[in-house]
Amino acid sequence: MAAFEFAKKISNKFVRGNYICGIVDPPDLKQCLLDHSIETCCSFSVRDSGSRSEETKVFYKIKGEEIDHGVPFVHGDFIRLDCRKGPLYYKLKSSTDEEVVRFRAQTTLKCDCPATILIHELKIFPQEKITEPMGVRRKKSARASSSAKIMASKNSDGSYNLPWESIFFVELPLHDAHENHSLSPDVAGFSQRVNYDVKMEFKEMEAMGVKDMDILRALIAKATKNICSKGVQPPPNSRAFDPPDKDIYNILQAAAKARESYCFRYNYLIVDL
């Protein structure tokens, strides 16, 4: 784990199969996922998400974690992401007995890779932490009392009157979790999606009228250093941060069409009024 830069931002980490699990603070979550994407040369897309705000149980230990910190928490929202080379299809829940299958887009990219990322919000209550050394029975009694106090403070909208903080429990796949495709930068780097922040930089440049390819690449190289200044630097052949001319052209064209559409709708509303 020490060889990976993204693992340094995970506290209380432990290994579960081919995954690194642990706690990430909210300010470090985006950088941790960015470092993971760069180091594994792999992109992920959202498979499903949900909320467990109606959870009525208070926990003190994460499943699989050896350390019991004594800090109570309840489950919040979660999001699960599939490897971009993931399954060709996934099953949807259905109220009928028939099995419903929805096929995924971009089937030519799919290799049935089982790797996934799980991000789970935990709402912790630091002031209810149990730190005093005590026997098993007394500890159970103290935790039951603390849990009852937390649940009693819950409002009808799911919020809590007691002060709480958000942290994130993450499961990030190691290289062995991926199957049926290469993670080598020479092969996998070109199949990545263009980074979201890089796309936004291109759109801003298009709005300013910058179209010269050499100027665009020079500005993007400078922006990439700022985006990755606190973590891992991407390899030189990474499509996510150094996209080919065709990708740049498509991004600029999409930005121009969106801006023209907005201007048309705005002028139409002005005339209509």
Side-chain angles (χ1 to χ4, degrees):
M1 288 186 294
F4 295 104
E5 188 68 26
F6 70 84
K8 297 179 181 179
K9 296 176 176 61
I10 304 176
S11 60
N12 306 320
K13 52 181 171 285
F14 60 95
V15 177
R16 181 188 295 168
N18 293 321
Y19 290 79
I20 291 181
C21 308
I23 301 297
V24 178
D25 293 327
D28 297 331
L29 181 61
K30 182 178 179 180
Q31 188 64 49
C32 181
L33 295 176
L34 178 61
D35 290 346
H36 178 269
S37 175
I38 294 174
E39 289 187 286
T40 59
C41 295
C42 191
S43 300
F44 287 79
S45 56
V46 177
R47 182 177 76 183
D48 60 358
S49 60
S51 175
R52 296 177 63 181
S53 58
E54 301 298 326
E55 183 67 57
T56 58
K57 187 174 181 180
V58 179
F59 297 87
Y60 287 84
K61 184 179 178 182
I62 299 172
K63 184 178 180 181
E65 188 179 18
E66 297 180 359
I67 303 174
D68 185 351
H69 304 280
V71 180
F73 65 87
V74 296
H75 291 286
D77 300 336
F78 74 91
I79 183 170
R80 190 181 300 275
L81 302 96
D82 272 336
C83 174
R84 196 183 181 198
K85 302 280 189 179
L88 290 173
Y89 62 89
Y90 63 97
K91 297 176 183 179
L92 298 178
K93 294 182 180 179
S94 174
S95 57
T96 63
D97 295 334
E98 297 180 3
E99 184 180 62
V100 180
V101 176
R102 173 182 170 188
F103 283 88
R104 305 300 300 269
Q106 297 179 312
T107 55
T108 55
L109 294 175
K110 303 301 179 181
C111 302
D112 204 22
C113 176
T116 60
I117 290 178
L118 174 65
I119 306 171
H120 205 144
E121 180 193 19
L122 304 179
K123 299 178 180 179
I124 63 173
F125 300 85
Q127 70 175 22
E128 296 297 320
K129 181 178 180 179
I130 299 175
T131 57
E132 298 83 3
M134 57 183 67
V136 176
R137 289 186 178 181
R138 190 179 171 192
K139 183 181 289 187
K140 287 183 178 180
S141 177
R143 290 186 173 184
S145 177
S146 179
S147 301
K149 181 180 178 181
I150 293 171
M151 282 299 136
S153 71
K154 190 173 183 179
N155 300 319
S156 58
D157 60 353
S159 61
Y160 295 88
N161 291 324
L162 292 176
W164 56 274
E165 302 174 3
S166 277
I167 59 174
F168 292 96
F169 173 75
V170 298
E171 290 185 8
L172 299 178
L174 297 171
H175 285 68
D176 292 340
H178 294 268
E179 296 179 4
N180 306 323
H181 66 98
S182 173
L183 293 178
S184 170
D186 297 333
V187 179
F190 188 75
S191 65
Q192 285 186 305
R193 293 177 177 175
V194 180
N195 181 269
Y196 175 81
D197 292 330
V198 172
K199 280 186 178 180
M200 294 298 104
E201 291 287 341
F202 276 123
K203 290 181 179 180
E204 289 181 9
M205 295 175 195
E206 192 281 332
M208 293 187 293
V210 181
K211 296 183 179 180
D212 185 84
M213 194 61 68
D214 293 334
I215 297 176
L216 285 169
R217 289 200 175 279
L219 293 174
I220 283 300
K222 185 177 180 180
T224 298
K225 291 182 179 180
N226 295 331
I227 295 171
C228 304
S229 60
K230 298 181 180 179
V232 181
Q233 293 297 315
N237 60 340
S238 172
R239 181 184 178 187
F241 296 94
D242 187 18
D245 293 349
K246 182 179 179 181
D247 284 350
I248 297 175
Y249 177 79
N250 291 338
I251 294 171
L252 296 179
Q253 286 294 310
K257 288 182 179 179
R259 183 163 49 80
E260 291 172 2
S261 176
Y262 172 79
C263 293
F264 174 79
R265 286 184 281 114
Y266 179 77
N267 293 332
Y268 177 79
L269 289 174
I270 295 296
V271 172
D272 189 50
L273 292 173

